[in-house]
Amino acid sequence: MIIRILGDGQFEVADANKAKLDELDAAVDRAITAADDVAFAAALSALDAEIRRIGTPIDASTILPSDLILPHEGASLSEISELLGSEES
Amino acid sequence: MAFMKRLSGVVQAKANKVLDRVEDPRETLDLSYEKQLEQLQQVRKGVADVATARKRIELQASQLQASANKLQDQAKQALAQNREDLAREALSRRAGIADQLEQLRVQHEQLQAQEEKLVTTTQQLQTRVEAFRSQKETLKASYTAAEAQTKIGEAVSGISESMSDTGMAMQRAQDKIANMQARAGAVDELLASGALTDLTGSSDPLQAELDKNSASTQVELELAQLKGQLAPGGDAPAIAAAPGAAEATDATDAEVVAEAEPAPSSGASLFTLNKDGGA
């Protein structure tokens, strides 16, 4: 699957890693629901680090849509809530 | 992956708005190419804006640094004059400047990171624009094949997604610049109001106090010299009392007055002696 880290580029990640990513993604989701800034920052950076660790960067000349998208590094909970909120409005 | 899926939905919805898709996918290819070129121009301008903002912070920091150094010198000067109160005042102002400097340092770091990110974004965009240009001609030429239509769809989605991402990166950089400009304006006002830089100028009250202090120290020194010069002839206090003692009937006093005779008035003699003492 192709995952884009906003402001950084795309990464190709083998589907075999799905379980681990699911777990890390769920932590981010819980932090958003709990509106917990500290937990959000920690969960996001763990997910970010894992994708960079297991993923292979995709060359900028390859033009493909992503399957999943991760916020830019260091994004705050309020920024992300606003971004997600714009989907519902 | 609920979170990443949701976010991907938001970004792709934004991406679809980036391009007004037209009936013929071949036209969409040309349109998105034009939009990418426009965006490339915008990102380049964004890099220049961030660099300008960063340089402004650097300039302000060096002004603050100069003020801090001046205050440090003033504190030393004050201590040399045994004016601990003034030294304290200078150091507390210096601490205020140190706070400002620290805040500027944090902002400078953030802007520098934004600048680096935008430079990388520009390079990636440049690469994509070039790749897209060659791909789109190939895709257009083989448009009739079903496979080519799918590829056009993917290429257009991919390029809109990346353009949307670039747009967000630029927005972030602009937000940082806006934050920085609000702060920079406050520091400029502070500098202009004299709270900081005027300390280095003539209207600086701290420096005025130090100068005054230094002047009165000089007066004391000259007074002491004056007293020293007068000492062989008699006591200095007697001189000061001379005009009032002119009618004294006491013989000793009369003698003293006679010796002091060459000096018509104590004020004028002080002035003269002062000059001599200084020479």
Side-chain angles (χ1 to χ4, degrees), chain A residues 1 3 6 18 35-36 39 47-48 62 67 85-86:
Chain A
M1 59 190 146
I3 304 178
L6 290 178
K18 196 173 176 302
D36 185 339
L47 183 53
D48 186 282
T62 306
D67 299 300
S86 67

Side-chain angles (χ1 to χ4, degrees), chain B:
Chain B
M1 310 217 212
F3 170 63
M4 288 195 283
K5 269 272 176 239
R6 265 178 86 196
L7 193 64
S8 145
V10 173
V11 173
Q12 274 154 11
K14 279 182 190 290
N16 284 334
K17 287 183 196 155
V18 173
L19 291 176
D20 305 316
R21 299 203 186 208
V22 284
E23 279 297 306
D24 188 338
R26 284 171 292 188
E27 285 176 35
T28 310
L29 287 174
D30 288 329
L31 180 67
S32 52
Y33 181 64
E34 277 166 35
K35 292 244 181 184
Q36 285 174 73
L37 288 180
E38 271 172 35
Q39 196 175 37
L40 194 54
Q41 291 300 317
Q42 286 169 5
V43 182
R44 287 197 178 123
K45 187 180 171 297
V47 172
D49 288 347
V50 179
T52 306
R54 176 178 51 79
K55 281 176 196 150
R56 185 171 177 198
I57 285 195
E58 283 164 8
L59 182 69
Q60 283 194 328
S62 75
Q63 285 174 319
L64 287 176
Q65 195 64 58
S67 288
N69 291 345
K70 177 78 184 176
L71 284 165
Q72 176 81 19
D73 289 345
Q74 286 179 328
K76 275 186 203 158
Q77 202 184 336
L79 271 187
Q81 293 176 4
N82 281 324
R83 286 294 305 267
E84 206 178 311
D85 57 331
L86 288 182
R88 211 176 281 281
E89 167 72 19
L91 290 178
S92 91
R93 286 194 207 178
R94 193 171 174 276
I97 290 180
D99 283 348
Q100 295 279 356
L101 269 176
E102 175 57 21
Q103 286 169 16
L104 283 187
R105 189 190 62 76
V106 171
Q107 278 203 320
H108 187 257
E109 249 174 37
Q110 289 177 346
L111 280 179
Q112 220 163 16
Q114 286 299 320
E115 194 177 341
E116 280 163 24
K117 280 250 175 236
L118 274 191
V119 167
T120 309
T121 302
T122 311
Q123 287 161 353
Q124 287 177 348
L125 189 59
Q126 175 83 54
T127 309
R128 264 197 305 271
V129 170
E130 278 158 23
F132 189 81
R133 191 187 52 187
S134 57
Q135 278 182 30
K136 87 183 165 75
E137 293 312 319
T138 315
L139 286 169
K140 275 160 80 178
S142 59
Y143 173 59
T144 45
E147 195 199 347
Q149 292 193 29
T150 311
K151 280 193 175 164
I152 288 177
E154 279 188 350
V156 170
S157 295
I159 211 76
S160 342
E161 180 189 304
S162 85
M163 282 172 71
S164 179
D165 183 10
T166 305
M168 283 190 261
M170 281 198 289
Q171 185 58 52
R172 256 170 93 71
Q174 277 159 6
D175 288 350
K176 284 275 187 296
I177 293 176
N179 277 346
M180 172 258 142
Q181 277 168 341
R183 262 216 72 72
V187 173
D188 275 346
E189 262 176 44
L190 211 57
L191 287 166
S193 75
L196 299 177
T197 39
D198 261 9
L199 287 176
T200 62
S202 55
S203 60
D204 168 15
L206 187 59
Q207 189 60 52
E209 181 82 0
L210 284 172
D211 290 345
K212 200 177 100 191
N213 228 23
S214 166
S216 61
T217 306
Q218 183 65 26
V219 168
E220 290 303 317
L221 195 73
E222 283 166 6
L223 253 180
Q225 280 175 344
L226 178 61
K227 286 174 185 173
Q229 283 174 3
L230 288 177
D235 282 347
I239 302 290
E247 290 163 40
T249 50
D250 185 83
T252 326
D253 275 351
E255 264 180 53
V256 172
V257 170
E259 276 180 30
E261 203 66 17
S265 88
S266 58
S269 75
L270 257 184
F271 189 70
T272 315
L273 281 170
N274 195 11
K275 272 179 115 179
D276 290 343

